[in-house]
Each structure stands twice: as structure tokens, then as C-alpha cells.
Amino acid sequence: MTDNVIEVRGLLKLYGVTRAVDAIDLDIRRGEIFGLLGPNGAGKTTTILMLLGLTEVSAGTVDVLGFDPVRQPLEVKRRVGYLPDAVGFYDHLTARENLRYTARLLAIPRRDAEKRISDAMESVQLADVLDKRVSTFSRGMRQRLGIAEIVMKKAEIAILDEPTSGLDPHATFELLEMIRGLKKVGVAVLISSHLLDRVQSVCDRVALFNHGKIALMGTVVELANKVLGAGHPILVEASGIDIAAALRGVEGVQTVVAEGEGGWRVVADRDVRASVAQRIVSSGGSLTRLADLQPSLEEVYTRYFQEQRHAA
Amino acid sequence: MLRKPAQREGSPFTGLSPVFMKEFADHLSSARMMVLMLFVLAFGAFPVASSLQQLRTVTEQDAFLFLRIFTSAPDSLPISFVFALNFIIPIMAIGLGFDAVNSEFNRRTLSRVLSQPIYRDALLLGKFLGGLATLAVALTALWLIVFGAGLLLLGLPPRGVEVARAACFLVTAIAYGGVWLAISLLFSVIFRSTATSALCSLGLWLFFFLLWPMIASAITLGVAPSQIRSAEEYLAIEQVGLVLARFSPGTLFSEAVVGLLNPETRTFASMLPAQMRGVIQGAPLPLNQSLILIWPQMTGLIAGMIVVFAAAYVIFQREEVRA
Ligand SMILES: Nc1ncnc2c1ncn2[C@@H]1O[C@H](COP(=O)(O)OP(=O)(O)O)[C@@H](O)[C@H]1O
Ligand SMILES: [Mg+2]
């Protein structure tokens, strides 16, 4: 077997006649962060629930760490940590009591459990609220408590459903850092999200999901090359001369498109920032901004489905 | 194309004991439990106090004086302790069970808990047993209080057989509570809203208490011929009424209680003169005879509990976990 922790073949989920998940194939490799991205209703949560054996599979096979979630859900759930969409805890209990209950369900010996709980809470920076009731926790703290639960479980795979939704930018940043932390200790992470740009930075590979199907799968750069065309996009803001003409004269530049007030989006076959700057300055223009544009998943996504619609 | 549900591996009871322990601890420490206990004390104290008052003045010999604490109704208010229990126990059980499963949905804890190595079986059964244990603790406490009050105020210890009968009564009361706990658990699985679930449980309770006796007698009257010609015919019709009434768990409970606490009870229907031959009126039955008499009622209660729980189980297995 390869180094895949999750292997999905032809996975199908029917709700009546609607195909919530339509015969998808998916591999998650050991130690990577994989993003399952797509709009609401794409079928991400349904896929996740089938991986965990929490909802019936209509057809297809799933292999999680060598176990079949349909027949051996307990084995799967012992090894996989799950942070549901809008996770809830028992509000009348403290964080420690909540985790203790999970530890008992996992049959972790009591003495071990206390140590594991405090270590896990330490790792998500919640050690100071260990004995506070969860009812006092903010949304971000609850999400972190969910991560702590996965850390305590010593899961080999972490499945996080919309972990950043409803979080402010700072809390999102912190949470993404914690997800990177999971990867550092060798956990394979599967993140689902409808906020493509928020999570693209942490994902090693992504799958773009729509209407129950995986439209595209690969690294962000691969997808961008495939959909937006190969090339290196940069953003130029300058004035004083005929910028478009000046830019077109730079070697390697393929396209120049006006973008906003006094801005141009330039795609070249290599990083042309240095020569662009030189050209503008030497021809007497004033350069106000020169930025390397990361390919944006949002853009990849929009463009891809626009093309699909045109093709149809 | 669709495949059959595959055989699953691992015990369905994995994780049962942590769920049970948590539910039990949650119930015992909850404010709701305090309210329920106060409610029970308020409703139970009056009949017990007044029947004790009355029994202290009784001078005639009564072999089962102690059991009369439970069954005698004071003249001022014709409610005995067991009658009070007949309607308090369902309320306690409903109070403990109406939000058992749907509150986990609403707090969004269900999918997180079910993503731990545990089957839904263990979660549901753990919740049921946790509620039943709570109910058992509460009823036993109540039973001990009544017993203690009897000892103090009557000033004589109960005989062994009285203790045994009273203990059987306690078991019956717990089984009766179990039926209503299963019913409220069922509604908590069916309805996502806790208010709807509570309303349905209480509605069913009201139905069995107020409406069902009337419906049963209306049906009985409907099937009865216009003229009853013989005693046998009368008994047959009475039997129809009894069978109908026994669909209500409350009827089963009160019949079982009558059989246990009134040792003279031989039947719950009328007796023909022929059947009465050789029967000494008013002579108490030995305990084992009384147990045989109430056995159908006991099995009825326990079977009802299991059937309703099984229904809740089947529905819960099919439910989607996402909130
Ligand atoms: N219990 C259900 N019954 C019928 N359809 C459902 C049910 N749950 C989800 N769906 C449908 O399945 C599709 C996928 O939903 P979901 O997996 O929740 O999407 P996502 O998580 O990507 O937002 C949606 O179109 C949704 O309407
Ligand atoms: Mg979702």
C-alpha cells in the first residue's frame, strides 16, 4: 500500500434522488494538510460523515488507516479526531470535565488522561481556562477546545469541518497556526471550508468540490496553472507614461490587463518585477506599487466554473 | 447498486459506562432534579401524613398496618400515597427524559460524542439507564422516608412480609417510571425541539389519565349488547373494559400495586359465586400468590418499556447526526 491514510473510491451518497456526493475518488497522504473546498451544499460535510462512519454510504469504498468505516467504525473513530462544523460542548461543565468525558469514552486510563488533558490545553493556549465552564468560552475558544480534544486523543488523522467559519481574522490566524502544529507532529489533516482564500495558505493540496463532485485536485499552484494558465502574475501601479505600452515591451511579458484605477495585472513567463521596475523608472514614469500576485483559489474557482458554464 | 448494511464489528456496549456515569451525575446535580424532588415531596407528604394521622387512631387489629400507610386515603382528601405516585412518577420520568437526545443535537455535542469510539446503541442505552438509575434513587429515597415516618409515628416495626411487599412495590414503581422514561426518550429522539418533545410526552400522559378511561368505557358500552342476560355475559363485557384500560401504563401500575399492598386481592375483576366457593373472603394471600397474580401486569410494564425503547432505538439509528 502507498502512504495514503485515507483512500476513497467511487464514494456515493444519495438523499432520495439527489446525489449529495457523486462517486468521488480521493486520497489523503500521511502528514499532509488537505483542503476540501467548495461552496455550501457542495457535499463536504456529507463526505466527512461517511469517512467517519457517521452516515450510511450509498455506494463505493472508504479505507481509513486500513479500516472500513462502515464495518469497523470504532477502529476508525479511535484513530481519527473530528471537529464538527459549529462544534458544541457541554456548557454546564468545565473544559477539563468535557475533555475528561471524551477521555473516558476513549478508555484512556485516568492518570494518563489528566496529563494528556493539561498538555493538550497547553498546546492550544487554553491552559488558563482549564477549569472554567465552557459556557463562558468564545467561539474561537470552543474551536480551540475542539483541537485540544484531537490532540488529547493522539489522533493520526484530524478532520476539521469549517474550522474557521465565524471566526475573526485574528482567531482564524491562530487556529491555522494550530493546524500547522498538528501537521508538525505528523497528523494528517483534512480541512473542509467554503472560504477558499482563508485556508489555502495552510493546505498542501486541495480538492475543489461542487455539486457533489471533485472538479479539480492538486496543489494550489498546479490548479492555478491549469485554470489561469501557466505564468507569473504581478500587479503594477504606476503613472506618468503610457504604462501598458511600456509593460508590453518588457521581455517575457505575455498579457497586460488594466485592473482598477491606474493598476495593471501583468502575466509573464517568469518573475519580471525587476525589469518592469527598471523599464518604468527609466522611461520617466513613477512606480507606486509592484506586487507579486499569489494565485488565488477564489479566482481559480470562479474562472473554472465560468468556463464550465460556457462550455456547457 | 445500493449495498446492504454491512455487519459491524465491535461491541455495541463500548462506552456504555462513561455515558451512564455522566448522565447519572448530571441528573443528580441538576437543578431540575431538585425541583422534581420538591414536587414529589409536596405531593407525597400530604397523603402520607394524613394517612399516618388516621392510622394512629385505628385500634382494631390489622396484620398489614404498615402497608396501609401507602394505600389508605385520608377522608379529607381522597388521595392515597400510591395514587399520588401514579401521576407523579410519569412527570418525574418525563422531566428526566424529554430532552435526552434532542438537547445533544441542539447543543451540537452529538456528532462530537459520536465521533468517539462508541455506537449510538451505547449512547441511547446509557442515557436511558442513567435516567432510570436517577429515578430509582429518587423513589428509593422517598420510600425510605415514608418507611421511616411510619416507624416513628406508628411506633411498631413492620413485619418481614410487609417489608417484602413494600420492596416489590418499589420495584414496580421503578418499572412504571421506566415506561414513561422510555416514552419521553422516544419523543426526544423524534422531535428536535425540546418543547415539542415535552409537550407530546405530557400530552400522552394527560391522554392516558383523563381521556383513556372515558374512551375505554365508551368502547365497552358500545360493544355491550343492549340487554345483559347472564352473569357470564356481564363478566365478559367487564373483561373487555379491563383489557382496554390496561393499555394505559397507569392501570397496570395501580393493579400491580393493589395486588401487592392489599394482600386480600384475588382478582381485578368481579367474581362469580361459583368462583368464590372455598374462598375465605378477606383472607390475605401469601406473597408468592400475590406475585403470580400481578405477574401479567409486571411483564406488561417491562414489555412496554422495552418496546418503546426499541422504537426509540430504531429511529435514532436512522437519524442524521448533523445539527
Ligand atoms: N439529511 C439530508 N437529507 C437530504 N438532503 C441532505 C441532507 N443533508 C444534506 N443534504 C444535501 O446534501 C448536499 C450536501 O450537503 P453538505 O454535505 O452539508 O454540504 P457542505 O458541507 O459542502 O456545505 C446539500 O445539497 C444538502 O441539501
Ligand atoms: Mg458543511
Side-chain angles (χ1 to χ4, degrees):
Chain A
M1 219 190 88
T2 52
D3 219 15
N4 288 338
V5 289
I6 298 181
E7 286 190 355
V8 171
R9 293 291 172 270
L11 188 63
L12 178 76
K13 177 69 180 185
L14 298 173
Y15 282 116
V17 292
T18 51
R19 293 172 167 236
V21 176
D22 195 354
I24 60 165
D25 295 341
L26 190 67
D27 290 327
I28 315 277
R29 299 178 193 147
R30 190 169 294 282
E32 76 174 344
I33 301 184
F34 188 93
L36 199 57
L37 309 178
N40 288 323
K44 305 179 297 289
T45 302
T46 311
T47 306
I48 288 172
L49 293 178
M50 286 192 287
L51 295 182
L52 288 160
L54 288 178
T55 191
E56 275 171 44
V57 171
S58 301
T61 59
V62 183
D63 183 305
V64 179
L65 297 164
F67 297 99
D68 175 2
V70 177
R71 283 189 310 109
Q72 302 156 302
L74 298 188
E75 297 297 332
V76 169
K77 293 193 281 186
R78 225 164 253 141
R79 293 168 176 80
V80 180
Y82 173 45
L83 179 67
D85 187 5
V87 65
F89 288 88
Y90 298 105
D91 277 349
H92 64 287
L93 301 180
T94 64
R96 188 198 295 276
E97 288 164 339
N98 268 290
L99 292 188
R100 235 183 233 157
Y101 179 45
T102 310
R104 288 208 195 104
L105 291 173
L106 286 161
I108 300 173
R110 185 170 298 205
R111 197 127 34 89
D112 257 8
E114 292 305 315
K115 171 105 180 70
R116 280 212 216 173
I117 290 171
S118 44
D119 288 353
M121 291 295 275
E122 194 82 49
S123 76
V124 297
Q125 288 146 35
L126 285 178
D128 50 332
V129 291
L130 191 47
D131 289 305
K132 286 245 162 60
R133 284 185 185 216
V134 177
S135 52
T136 63
F137 281 24
S138 71
R139 167 114 200 193
M141 289 162 85
R142 280 165 207 255
Q143 297 287 52
R144 271 147 65 189
L145 184 54
I147 303 268
E149 189 179 71
I150 295 173
V151 172
M152 178 199 74
K153 193 169 180 175
K154 296 196 170 148
E156 291 172 56
I157 304 175
I159 298 183
L160 317 175
D161 198 356
E162 307 274 3
T164 61
S165 74
L167 298 189
D168 61 57
H170 180 66
T172 303
F173 174 78
E174 281 185 339
L175 195 81
L176 293 179
E177 276 309 303
M178 280 159 202
I179 292 171
R180 285 202 184 93
L182 283 175
K183 176 187 159 143
K184 267 197 206 105
V185 295
V187 180
V189 184
L190 174 64
I191 306 181
S192 105
S193 180
H194 67 279
L195 303 165
L196 283 65
D197 284 344
R198 281 253 187 113
V199 297
Q200 80 169 83
S201 59
V202 291
C203 294
D204 297 314
R205 289 193 309 139
V206 299
L208 293 187
F209 224 83
N210 200 8
H211 297 303
K213 290 203 177 82
I214 291 178
L216 290 167
M217 184 151 57
T219 64
V220 174
V221 173
E222 277 168 17
L223 297 196
N225 285 347
K226 197 161 161 189
V227 176
L228 304 176
H232 205 113
I234 58 172
L235 182 73
V236 180
E237 279 178 22
S239 57
I241 53 164
D242 182 357
I243 303 294
L247 289 173
R248 285 204 184 89
V250 176
E251 198 184 329
V253 168
Q254 294 160 330
T255 59
V256 178
V257 184
E259 195 167 271
E261 195 77 4
W264 277 269
R265 185 191 154 86
V266 178
V267 179
D269 58 4
R270 65 190 101 127
D271 189 350
V272 290
R273 278 179 294 177
S275 30
V276 162
Q278 203 176 14
R279 170 63 64 99
I280 290 175
V281 173
S282 64
S283 40
S286 63
L287 182 63
T288 48
R289 187 161 171 223
L290 184 59
D292 194 14
L293 285 181
Q294 292 293 327
S296 136
L297 262 188
E298 197 85 50
E299 203 177 344
V300 171
Y301 189 88
T302 320
R303 189 77 71 81
Y304 181 79
F305 286 107
Q306 260 169 10
E307 281 165 17
Q308 293 287 299
R309 220 166 298 132
H310 285 308
Chain B
M1 184 166 165
L2 296 186
R3 68 178 178 202
K4 285 218 176 93
Q7 197 63 41
R8 24 166 240 192
E9 288 175 11
S11 160
F13 302 118
T14 314
L16 177 62
S17 100
V19 176
F20 170 78
M21 294 304 286
K22 170 174 183 299
E23 290 298 317
F24 189 47
D26 277 0
H27 280 319
L28 288 186
S29 62
S30 70
R32 191 188 302 172
M33 189 64 197
M34 294 293 294
V35 172
L36 286 174
M37 279 313 273
L38 278 177
F39 182 75
V40 168
L41 286 177
F43 272 81
F46 182 69
V48 169
S50 32
S51 71
L52 279 171
Q53 205 79 55
Q54 211 161 28
L55 290 174
R56 261 146 67 103
T57 62
V58 168
T59 45
E60 66 188 274
Q61 198 63 30
D62 189 337
F64 292 98
L65 188 63
F66 227 84
L67 296 184
R68 309 287 179 231
I69 306 171
F70 294 98
T71 55
S72 75
D75 303 325
S76 50
L77 177 87
I79 291 179
S80 65
F81 179 62
V82 293
F83 183 80
L85 281 188
N86 201 332
F87 69 86
I88 293 171
I89 289 175
I91 293 190
M92 288 180 73
I94 290 170
L96 291 174
F98 78 95
D99 64 348
V101 175
N102 46 18
S103 72
E104 300 261 352
F105 265 114
N106 299 336
R107 282 181 295 196
R108 295 170 177 271
T109 45
L110 190 67
S111 49
R112 192 176 55 82
V113 169
L114 286 179
S115 75
Q116 309 307 330
I118 169 181
Y119 280 117
R120 297 181 191 200
D121 313 40
L123 188 69
L124 198 66
L125 189 61
K127 280 182 173 288
F128 179 72
L129 293 180
L132 197 64
T134 311
L135 208 59
V137 166
L139 288 174
T140 307
L142 198 65
W143 186 88
L144 286 173
I145 291 171
V146 173
F147 236 79
L151 274 176
L152 281 177
L153 294 177
L154 293 182
L156 84 172
R159 297 182 301 136
V161 63
E162 285 180 294
V163 176
R165 279 178 180 272
C168 291
F169 157 69
L170 179 61
V171 173
T172 314
I174 294 170
Y176 176 52
V179 176
W180 282 100
L181 189 65
I183 290 173
S184 62
L185 201 67
L186 172 66
F187 284 123
S188 87
V189 170
I190 295 176
F191 299 108
R192 288 285 168 96
S193 145
T194 53
T196 312
S197 154
L199 209 60
C200 283
S201 301
L202 288 173
L204 195 65
W205 170 76
L206 274 180
F207 171 80
F208 275 134
F209 265 80
L210 298 180
L211 232 46
W212 185 243
M214 288 188 248
I215 294 175
S217 64
I219 294 176
T220 314
L221 281 181
V223 300
S226 52
Q227 264 193 331
I228 296 174
R229 289 189 200 81
S230 68
E232 278 83 1
E233 210 171 79
Y234 174 78
L235 281 187
I237 290 159
E238 190 188 30
Q239 197 62 36
V240 171
L242 269 179
V243 167
L244 284 177
R246 281 178 190 149
F247 277 102
S248 160
T251 309
L252 294 178
F253 174 67
S254 48
E255 286 186 354
V257 167
V258 166
L260 283 170
L261 298 182
N262 292 333
E264 304 82 13
T265 312
R266 292 193 145 66
T267 169
F268 303 109
S270 317
M271 278 201 281
L272 288 180
Q275 292 174 313
M276 292 215 259
R277 204 165 297 145
V279 171
I280 310 155
Q281 271 302 305
L285 285 181
L287 177 56
N288 62 345
Q289 292 292 315
S290 289
L291 283 179
I292 291 170
L293 177 73
I294 64 147
W295 202 242
Q297 278 76 7
M298 272 308 272
T299 30
L301 284 177
I302 291 169
M305 181 162 89
I306 292 173
V307 166
V308 177
F309 181 81
Y313 172 85
V314 168
I315 296 171
F316 187 47
Q317 288 292 340
R318 291 163 181 278
E319 203 137 337
E320 287 284 334
V321 295
R322 72 178 105 194

